[in-house]
Amino acid sequence: MHATVDTPAPTSAPDAGDPIVRFRGVNKRFGDLHVLRDLDFDVGPAEKVAIIGPSGSGKTTILRVLMTLVRPDSGEIVVDGEHLYHRRVGDRLVPADERHLRKVRTNIGMVFQHFNLFPHMRVLRNVTEAPIHVLGLSKAEATERATGLLEMVGLGDKLDAYPSQLSGGQKQRVAIARALAMRPKVMLFDEVTSALDPELVGEVLSIIRKLAEEGDMAMLIVTHEMSFARDIADRVVFFDNGQVAEQGPPADIFTAPSNPRTQEFLKAVLQH
Amino acid sequence: MGFDLVPILLRGLDVTVRLTLTSAALAFAIAIVAGLGRLSPFAPIRFLAGAYVEVFRGTSVLVQMFWFFFALPLFGITLTPFVAGVAALALNIGAYGAEIVRGAIRSVPTGQIEASIALNMTPALRMRRVVLPQAFVLMLPPFGNLLIELLKATALVSLITIPDVTFQGVALQQTTGRTTEIFLWLLVLYFALAYPMTLAVRWVERRASAYRKA
Ligand SMILES: Nc1ncnc2c1ncn2[C@@H]1O[C@H](COP(=O)(O)OP(=O)(O)OP(=O)(O)O)[C@@H](O)[C@H]1O
Ligand SMILES: [Mg+2]
């Protein structure tokens, strides 16, 4: 991580037109592997962005960098007007400490491919745990919020179940409710249906679709479900080799991709 | 069968049980602290915890006990036999326990930690409410074995004058000469203590891990 960054930080509060997420010149290497290459990438407030691209192109890494699970090597990331990995000291930017990360992280939520529910907590407590202990909600408030969300995902009757008693689709719906309970401004979805049996994919996608229609949360969705991406995304980003190779409205990307790599990729995946 | 010997041996029962339970409680606390210490982000703490574990695992409990009881007074620190016995047993078993704690914490899947970071939990909250409860279930079976090891190791305290069941047995053997009967009864006694402990640990483990197969 570079100690300082030359680019000046935004000085005024973000207005409605500013992106909620901004990547500038972000690099990440794993050993010799250059996974994110000078990545520039913006997400608008409430924008629904589908990220597609070949395996190993760095899609998961973008989300993990944004969720602060992986530190980038260089570049800057701004979330809701605030630097993620840097903190302002006077007019300089210095690497962020855990406290700063926690502050910026309140804006971001994530749903994982393998759910990662807390197996030792019942469904309700999976969803109330962080609102109580991180946001400081009272038990009653957190329970009310969690119950509402669990009903929204169709699991109002499973509050007392343990995760091990649920199907994969139900687990993923609990995980979505758990992330929503923190009320993030940006939600990250990393191939959230690819660990599910085919017949359970629909129930999870329909919830994400509902969230996308409701509106004001920005969503970054890494997915291999092309028809789903086409339906719900405002913008589709084709990712290749650690960079945005092509992006645009779904209608353009899926019907008339201009980049030969995109054409090749879509041809390969749409055949299945 | 020498049933007449039993009441005399049982005079040591109370000492053996107290010694086992006191040392176990202390060893458990030491194991948690040292096990977490070995995973600390701070190198000096990792080093201290590692040094403790290696020293107390790598030397004999009996010699440790002799140190606490016979050698420390030469440096002006005099411990009662019970305290010396508990100290040696707890530190020795605690060192093995620390490795169990460390292993159990490390085998909690990283996805659990990532999920708790994504929910913006503090590192302390993550440890307390997500990692340790899951690690605890993994610790129980090896802790159960260690408890039995501890019970059996308490027999050594008879060598620093603590009147436990073994001490009573040895004394009785010297006065009556009924060697085989006495030592047979001692085996029976230890087993009668150990087996319920095994069952109790299994019961706790079944309860604590119920969420997994629920
Ligand atoms: N922690 C890590 N250590 C080393 N290499 C890693 C690590 N994480 C990811 N990589 C590598 O970085 C590259 C990009 O990984 P990433 O998971 O971002 O790809 P992806 O686009 O999500 O692929 P997929 O579609 O298969 O999920 C891959 O080659 C992967 O093996
Ligand atoms: Mg991936």
Side-chain angles (χ1 to χ4, degrees), chain A residues 21-26 39-42 62 65-66 76-77:
Chain A
V21 173
R22 204 179 74 193
F23 282 65
R24 281 295 174 274
V26 173
L39 176 67
D40 293 341
F41 176 60
D42 286 351
I62 305 183
V65 162
L66 196 49
E76 60 177 299
I77 300 173

Side-chain angles (χ1 to χ4, degrees), chain A residues 30-31 33 35-36 53-62 64 70 113 190-191 222 224 239:
Chain A
F30 291 112
L33 196 66
V35 180
L36 300 184
S55 180
S57 58
K59 306 180 299 293
T60 295
T61 305
I62 305 183
R64 291 172 58 82
V70 170
Q113 185 173 359
D190 188 9
E191 290 190 36
V222 172
H224 286 306
F239 216 73

Side-chain angles (χ1 to χ4, degrees), chain A residues 212-266:
Chain A
E213 281 157 10
E214 275 169 18
D216 47 0
M217 189 173 67
M219 293 165 64
L220 250 71
I221 305 162
V222 172
T223 184
H224 286 306
E225 306 276 342
M226 294 304 148
S227 61
F228 173 69
R230 179 183 206 137
D231 278 3
I232 68 153
D234 300 318
R235 173 163 52 116
V236 175
V237 174
F238 174 69
F239 216 73
D240 191 32
N241 237 322
Q243 285 175 323
V244 176
E246 180 169 8
Q247 56 181 327
D252 297 355
I253 298 286
F254 286 112
T255 51
S258 57
N259 185 313
R261 289 284 292 144
T262 320
Q263 294 164 1
E264 203 180 311
F265 172 78
L266 288 175

